[in-house]
């Protein structure tokens, strides 16, 4: 009899012990990106939950000499930012990936969707990792670029998820000892970042 687990489609489950949070380039000079405050707010939620559940996190900065440091409202104190010029996080975080053989899932937040988020996603998928793009924690200057990049990542095999959906997958059970703290974080819905306008109607990119 065939092993059904071997032929089951990839469900995209996330577990704290095999996940990592990527925080991409939320820097001072990118404050003009559409919905930047909302994106950073949601990414900050993800980071708080990651810390509660002991999910590791990595932080990058694109050319910080010119684009400035990570914005303080992300709450990333204690994370050492990794500087980069590549439009992918993967070369900068290569060592972190190599030291985590149990890693299966990457939760990806930041900007810009059509640039570093897309290229990071493709590089991670190429390594055989599952990528969960936190759609309410990613944006672009152009919302057309944002929309098409989300569709492009989905076509390539990434999972598009909301922050709350991923948080509840990670915690798994209301009996979890950290659930009450996490419940406080998600009690208020994530701020609107224009996603309804992107997904409404029969958008052919998401059929």
């Amino acid at each position: 009899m065939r092993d059904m687990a071997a032929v089951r489609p990839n469900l995209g489950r996330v577990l704290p012990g095999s996940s990592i949070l990527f925080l991409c380039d939320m820097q001072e000079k990118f404050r003009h990106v559409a919905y930047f405050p909302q994106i950073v707010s949601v990414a900050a939620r993800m980071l708080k939950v990651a810390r509660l559940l002991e999910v590791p996190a990595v932080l990058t900065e694109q050319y910080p000499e010119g684009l400035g440091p990570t914005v303080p409202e992300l709450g990333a104190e204690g994370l050492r930012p990794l500087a980069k010029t590549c439009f992918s996080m993967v070369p900068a975080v290569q060592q972190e990936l190599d030291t985590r053989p149990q890693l299966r899932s990457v939760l990806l937040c930041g900007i810009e969707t059509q640039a570093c988020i897309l290229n990071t996603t493709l590089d991670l998928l190429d390594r055989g990792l599952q990528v969960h793009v936190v759609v309410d924690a990613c944006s672009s200057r152009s919302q057309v670029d944002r929309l098409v990049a989300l569709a492009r990542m989905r076509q390539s095999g990434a999972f598009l998820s909301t922050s709350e959906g991923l948080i509840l997958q990670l915690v798994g059970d209301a009996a979890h000892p950290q659930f009450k703290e996490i419940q406080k974080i998600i009690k208020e819905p994530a701020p609107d970042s224009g996603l309804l306008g992107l997904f409404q109607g029969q958008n052919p990119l998401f059929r």
Side-chain angles (χ1 to χ4, degrees):
M1 187 173 178
R2 295 183 69 190
D3 180 0
M4 293 304 293
V7 298
R8 180 176 296 175
N10 187 345
L11 297 178
R13 296 192 186 278
V14 292
L15 298 169
S18 57
S19 299
I20 191 169
L21 176 65
F22 275 22
L23 301 166
C24 184
D25 305 352
M26 286 171 274
Q27 295 160 253
E28 289 290 348
K29 291 291 180 71
F30 286 128
R31 287 189 181 275
H32 63 288
V33 168
Y35 300 103
F36 185 85
Q38 294 90 336
I39 295 305
V40 173
S41 172
V42 174
R45 286 184 178 208
M46 294 296 298
L47 180 54
K48 287 176 184 175
V49 170
R51 284 171 165 161
L52 285 169
L53 297 178
E54 299 182 351
V55 172
V58 293
L59 172 72
T60 59
E61 294 176 345
Q62 179 74 12
Y63 182 54
E65 296 88 350
L67 297 172
T70 299
V71 296
E73 53 266 40
L74 181 60
E77 300 82 5
L79 291 181
R80 181 175 63 88
L82 301 171
K84 66 184 183 65
T85 56
C86 182
F87 296 127
S88 168
M89 295 177 72
V90 171
V93 303
Q94 185 79 46
Q95 187 174 357
E96 188 73 29
L97 294 175
D98 290 344
T99 58
R100 298 183 182 278
Q102 81 285 4
L103 191 63
R104 183 180 177 192
S105 305
V106 177
L107 318 180
L108 182 54
C109 304
I111 55 177
E112 288 188 74
T113 317
Q114 83 287 357
C116 296
I117 298 298
L118 172 59
N119 285 300
T120 298
T121 295
L122 297 179
D123 283 349
L124 291 168
L125 291 171
D126 212 25
R127 290 176 64 106
L129 293 165
Q130 294 180 9
V131 181
H132 298 263
V133 181
V134 189
V135 294
D136 48 345
C138 295
S139 192
S140 304
R141 290 165 294 143
S142 161
Q143 294 306 280
V144 172
D145 280 335
R146 183 187 187 194
L147 172 64
V148 175
L150 290 173
R152 171 72 171 82
M153 290 184 280
R154 182 170 174 260
Q155 288 169 337
S156 296
F159 295 99
L160 304 185
S161 303
T162 63
S163 55
E164 185 163 331
L166 285 170
I167 288 167
L168 292 174
Q169 278 192 71
L170 285 168
V171 70
D173 193 321
H176 191 287
Q178 295 290 359
F179 179 70
K180 288 193 182 300
E181 287 303 309
I182 290 170
Q183 191 176 35
K184 294 174 187 175
I185 295 170
I186 62 173
K187 184 177 180 181
E188 292 298 321
D192 174 42
S193 58
L195 287 170
L196 282 178
L198 295 182
F199 291 114
Q200 68 184 1
Q202 296 298 311
N203 191 318
L205 291 173
F206 289 97
R207 285 179 182 167

